[in-house]
């Protein structure tokens, strides 16, 4: 494999860490072999989930614990009042509340399994990781279920690629 192939694999891997569902057709369009594409996308999706799951936990924890320190630092050094900005976002509740309601509605309607199944295809990997961390972090085997979901969707994509060329 030449350097262009390695760059393509890295590119597909990084894209799969963020938006899993569009990466498979993209990988085939840029000329990757089907096996290479499936492996890069699967490993990228799993790696992206682990990365964003722990990153979202760390960001929420740091921001929650250090909110006063962060706002004082920004106010002192950048002459920008974050408290006023937070109040402004809280007052504009129409769009933010609508988004929160959609998340809560999705969570209540489909629950843990719905988020697990929908994350690789409908939601993005970072959003699914954040939702699972936020609402189901205490649930056992979150990682195992998510890895199974990503592997399952890889199998679905593989079957589509195997079936479609034979039916045309």
């Amino acid at each position: 494999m030449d350097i262009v192939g390695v760059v393509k694999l890295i590119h597909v891997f990084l894209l799969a860490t963020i938006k899993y569902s569009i990466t498979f057709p993209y990988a085939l369009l840029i000329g990757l072999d089907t096996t290479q594409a499936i492996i890069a996308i699967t490993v990228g999706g799993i790696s992206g989930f682990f990365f964003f799951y722990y990153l979202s936990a760390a960001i929420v924890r740091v921001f929650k614990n250090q909110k006063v320190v962060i706002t004082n630092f920004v106010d002192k050094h950048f002459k920008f009042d974050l408290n006023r900005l937070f109040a402004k976002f809280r007052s504009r509740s129409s769009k933010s509340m609508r988004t929160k309601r959609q998340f809560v509605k999705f969570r209540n309607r489909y629950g843990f399994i719905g988020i697990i199944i929908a994350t690789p295809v409908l939601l993005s990997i970072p959003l699914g990781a954040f939702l699972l961390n936020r609402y189901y972090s205490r649930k056992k085997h979150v990682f195992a279920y998510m890895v199974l979901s990503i592997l399952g969707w890889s199998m679905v994509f593989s079957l589509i690629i195997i079936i479609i060329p034979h039916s045309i």
Side-chain angles (χ1 to χ4, degrees), residues 5 8 13 24 49-50 66 100 122 129-130 137 147 162 167:
K8 286 181 183 179
F13 171 83
F24 193 72
F49 174 73
F50 282 111
Q66 302 294 328
K100 288 178 186 177
L122 299 176
F130 173 76
S137 63
V147 168
I162 291 170
S167 65

Side-chain angles (χ1 to χ4, degrees), residues 50-108:
F50 282 111
F51 176 76
F52 287 111
Y53 186 86
Y54 287 117
L55 180 68
S56 65
I59 289 173
V60 167
R61 188 176 342 111
V62 165
F63 191 73
K64 187 177 185 182
N65 294 338
Q66 302 294 328
K67 185 177 180 181
V68 174
V69 175
I70 292 170
T71 55
N72 288 341
F73 176 80
V74 170
D75 188 33
K76 180 180 176 183
H77 293 293
F78 297 106
K79 306 291 188 233
F80 185 76
D81 189 10
L82 279 179
N83 289 323
R84 192 173 65 182
L85 181 68
F86 292 146
K88 185 177 179 181
F89 279 123
R90 272 188 237 120
S91 67
R92 286 192 319 169
S93 62
S94 62
K95 186 174 180 176
S96 63
M97 285 303 289
R98 184 173 45 225
T99 306
K100 288 178 186 177
R101 283 188 198 123
Q102 287 175 342
F103 284 140
V104 170
K105 189 176 181 180
F106 184 85
R107 185 189 68 182
N108 290 340

